[in-house]
Structure formats: structure tokens, C-alpha cells
Amino acid sequence: MKNIYSNISKVNNNNISIAINKLKKNEIIGVPTETVYGLAGNAYSDKSIKKIYNLKRRPRINPLIIHYARVSDLLEDAYLNANFYKIFKKLCPGPITFILKKRIGSKVSNSATAKLNTIAVRFPKDKTIKKILKGIDFPLAIPSANISKSISPVSARDVVDEFGKKLNFIIDGGSCNIGIESTVVDLTGVKKILRPGAISAEEIENILKSKISIAKNFKKIISPGSLKKHYSPGIHMRLNQKKSRENEAFITFGKKYERAKNSFNLSTKSDLNEAARNLYKIFRIIKNKKYKLINVVKIPKKGIGVAINDRLKHAATKK
Ligand code: TXA
Ligand code: MG
């Protein structure tokens, strides 16, 4: 039998050079980050960006996050402000994405930023992607490596699960440490969180010493990417349930569900960080087991739990 995972390459200097060469030739590759795996392409190249949108089947109105190794590289592409520097100093590299005004004359492809006058930027912490970024002289557009609306990948094999042989090179950096996407914070006007993520609102409030709201973007699309249905295993999902039935999957949290039937426990220790790390992994297992319905218990809405609840809500949406 042919090895379906033959497009996965382990992390070593030779494979990092191969990755860099492919990116220089405007090819798209699968890469690890500390949040989720991504599809990386040259952000300065319209050709690369087009390939990313096509592979992901992503609507062109939904802009990509541009990833950098250093602030000095970003100066050419965005107008930086005081709030940016304050957060950057404390949290970067790390799982936070900033929305900033895009600099006039920036070389970042207009299609990567969906023709907006803003740009999303992030400084990833994962060692492998940092090495790759340091080996090139252009930033990388890196959306999550899943088909639009599907479950985000948290391992190299998940990326193969999404794209099969359509992607010929994926670097295997192991399972993602965080397992849920970066927090997207808009710093262009009244500051707000557009997508809850690994960094909580409280952490940002403590740094900026002022309140920050989380945009209620669930119904109305204010961040182009906050499309309603998303992160979905494609199975009907019921949230805030106390029990589950015979043939239904049951996503649980905490020790009291240890013996529940068909239970997929996000964290028996009731640790929300562990739950975030397990969320997409469990979605994918349940999807592959072909359950018809998923019940989910209530998950505490504190810290990274806010982001877990956000993903569950999107995944449970019908359209
Ligand atoms: O953790 C992450 O952020 C991962 C890893 C791979 O870095 N990337 C990721 O990218 O989640 P993606 O493309 O799946 O999600 C990007 C989000 C979308 O919701 C998009 O709409 C939003 O960022 N976004 C990008 N540019 C924006 C902009 N200029 N204004 C508002 N939202 C923007
Ligand atoms: Mg995504």
C-alpha cells in the first residue's frame, strides 16, 4: 500500500532548506506553528496567495494573516502604534495577531489582505517556523491548513487528512502546543478582540491597562473571516448538554464524566489549556468515527475557555 503520509518530512536542517527553497519558488507548504498547522506561502507573491485561496477553497474576501520573524521586517508593511509595541513586548513571539493599518507601498499582495487597507500580522513562536522565516527575505501568509470551514489541523497528519496529495511538502513539528488559533486584536481604531484565542482579553487588558471588548461578530460579519459556520466536524452539534444518548458522541470536561458513554474528555483534570489542546483533535476523531450527533457539556468561559466556547459555537452553527 502506498504511504499516504509520504509528503510529511521531519524537522532537520536539510528539510528546512527544502522548505525555504520551495517558498522562494512560490510553492505552498504545510508548516507547524504553536497554535495550529498552517499553509505557508510568500506574502509578496500574488501567485502564491492565489494558490493558498484555491487549495483552501477560501472566499477571496477573507484576508490572511502575515507572519514575520522580526518587527524590523514589519516596518515596511504596516503602521505601528503604541498599543502594538506594548503588547508585542510582553507577548511576542506568541499566539496573538494584530490588525494594523497597511502601509502605503507595502509589498504584501493585495489579495492576501483582501484589498483592505488593514493588515493582520503575527510573530509565531514555534522554533521550526521561526527558522524558516529567518531564512527568507519576505513574510509568509499562513492561514490554518484546513479546507475553509473545516476543522483546523493540530498535527502534520491532520494536514494530510485535509489536503491529501494536493500538498507535496509538510514539515512535522509534532503536535501543536496550544491547539487553538491566535487571538486577533484590532488596534486600528477602538481596540477590540475580533477572534478570541490563546491569549485572553484579561491578559491584554492587564498590558494596556484598559478595558477591551470582544466583538460580537457571530451574526454580523465584521471581521471578514468571522464567517458563521467554521471549525466544523460537519456533524450536528448540541451545546451545554448534561447527558448524551447511546449512539451520540459526548464531548465532556472534568472528572465526573470519566465513565460516561461515548465520552471524549477534553480534560479530566478540568484544565482549560489541556482542553484547548484536545479540542480539534477530538473533533477530528469524532468526525472519522462518523457519529450522527455530538453533545457537548458546558465549558467554563474563563481564560482560553472563552476561545473554546467561541469555536464550539461556530462549529455548532448550521450554515
Ligand atoms: O493561530 C493562527 O492565527 C493561525 C496560525 C497558522 O498562524 N492562523 C490562522 O489563520 O488562524 P486563518 O486564516 O485561519 O484565520 C485568520 C483570521 C480570519 O478570521 C481573518 O478574517 C482574520 O484573521 N483577518 C485577517 N486579516 C484581517 C483584517 N485585515 N481585518 C480583520 N480580520 C482579519
Ligand atoms: Mg482558519
Side-chain angles (χ1 to χ4, degrees):
M1 207 176 81
K2 254 187 114 184
N3 176 7
I4 58 163
Y5 297 116
S6 60
N7 49 357
I8 296 181
S9 301
K10 58 179 191 250
V11 177
N12 58 34
N13 289 341
N14 185 42
N15 285 335
I16 288 182
S17 302
I18 294 175
I20 288 173
N21 283 329
K22 284 182 179 287
L23 291 165
K24 285 182 180 167
K25 284 193 282 183
N26 295 332
E27 289 179 34
I28 307 306
I29 61 171
V31 295
T33 85
E34 70 277 20
T35 55
V36 299
Y37 271 71
L39 283 186
N42 179 354
Y44 288 167
S45 153
D46 290 338
K47 203 168 135 195
S48 297
I49 300 305
K50 192 171 170 194
K51 286 183 194 167
I52 290 179
Y53 278 100
N54 286 344
L55 264 170
K56 274 185 70 77
R57 289 188 243 139
R58 177 169 174 130
R60 297 287 195 274
I61 55 157
N62 189 2
L64 308 175
I65 300 175
I66 314 303
H67 294 59
Y68 293 83
R70 313 172 195 86
V71 175
S72 53
D73 302 331
L74 175 59
L75 293 173
E76 298 175 8
D77 295 326
Y79 297 104
L80 308 186
N81 56 40
N83 285 337
F84 165 81
Y85 280 112
K86 280 186 205 160
I87 303 174
F88 176 87
K89 252 203 250 157
K90 295 271 187 207
L91 300 178
C92 292
I96 181 144
T97 293
F98 305 91
I99 308 297
L100 298 166
K101 293 252 164 68
K102 187 175 177 183
R103 185 172 278 277
I104 292 168
S106 158
K107 284 190 273 183
V108 170
S109 157
N110 270 327
S111 42
T113 49
K115 302 199 173 87
L116 298 171
N117 57 11
T118 55
I119 181 170
V121 304
R122 171 160 126 74
F123 301 85
K125 190 174 188 171
D126 175 86
K127 283 198 292 254
T128 307
I129 191 62
K130 265 170 57 181
K131 275 193 192 154
I132 294 174
L133 281 165
K134 285 185 176 156
I136 52 184
D137 57 2
F138 48 85
L140 293 175
I142 320 183
S144 53
N146 52 282
I147 305 285
S148 194
K149 296 186 180 173
S150 167
I151 309 166
S152 302
V154 291
S155 73
R157 286 185 172 218
D158 292 351
V159 181
V160 177
D161 200 27
E162 290 289 316
F163 296 103
K165 286 280 143 65
K166 284 190 188 147
L167 202 59
N168 66 29
F169 194 81
I170 302 159
I171 289 219
D172 187 355
S175 290
C176 298
N177 254 336
I178 295 173
I180 208 162
E181 292 86 347
S182 63
T183 302
V184 178
V185 59
D186 185 349
L187 299 177
T188 58
V190 178
K191 54 188 186 306
K192 53 187 170 300
I193 291 175
L194 301 184
R195 178 178 73 181
I199 303 286
S200 67
E202 297 81 69
E203 278 174 87
I204 298 174
E205 285 174 348
N206 286 339
I207 295 169
L208 299 181
K209 299 193 173 52
S210 67
K211 280 269 163 208
I212 186 159
S213 60
I214 300 182
K216 292 256 176 296
N217 57 5
F218 195 60
K219 291 226 169 71
K220 213 171 80 206
I221 296 178
I222 53 162
S223 171
S226 58
L227 303 170
K228 286 191 284 177
K229 189 174 180 67
H230 209 150
Y231 317 108
S232 160
I235 301 170
H236 183 57
M237 195 181 273
R238 284 198 302 227
L239 305 183
N240 303 321
Q241 300 298 303
K242 292 207 170 95
K243 347 181 211 244
S244 182
R245 280 178 306 207
E246 192 66 35
N247 301 314
E248 302 168 353
F250 196 20
I251 297 184
T252 56
F253 180 77
K255 202 167 160 47
K256 76 172 186 193
Y257 294 102
E258 240 172 0
R259 266 175 252 123
K261 255 210 167 135
N262 300 330
S263 163
F264 298 84
N265 206 313
L266 292 170
S267 169
T268 49
K269 293 182 290 196
S270 297
D271 172 344
L272 286 166
N273 290 317
E274 182 181 36
R277 204 152 45 238
N278 283 329
L279 182 72
Y280 292 140
K281 214 185 317 182
I282 285 177
F283 273 9
R284 204 171 281 278
I285 294 170
I286 292 175
K287 178 184 173 184
N288 292 335
K289 285 189 187 279
K290 306 208 181 333
Y291 281 98
K292 294 277 180 301
L293 200 135
I294 306 173
N295 295 293
V296 189
V297 300
K298 210 171 186 161
I299 310 292
K301 285 191 181 123
K302 53 175 195 234
I304 202 167
V306 175
I308 297 174
N309 276 284
D310 170 80
R311 304 306 188 270
L312 287 168
K313 201 166 153 190
H314 278 92
T317 299
K318 295 210 180 90
K319 275 189 222 147

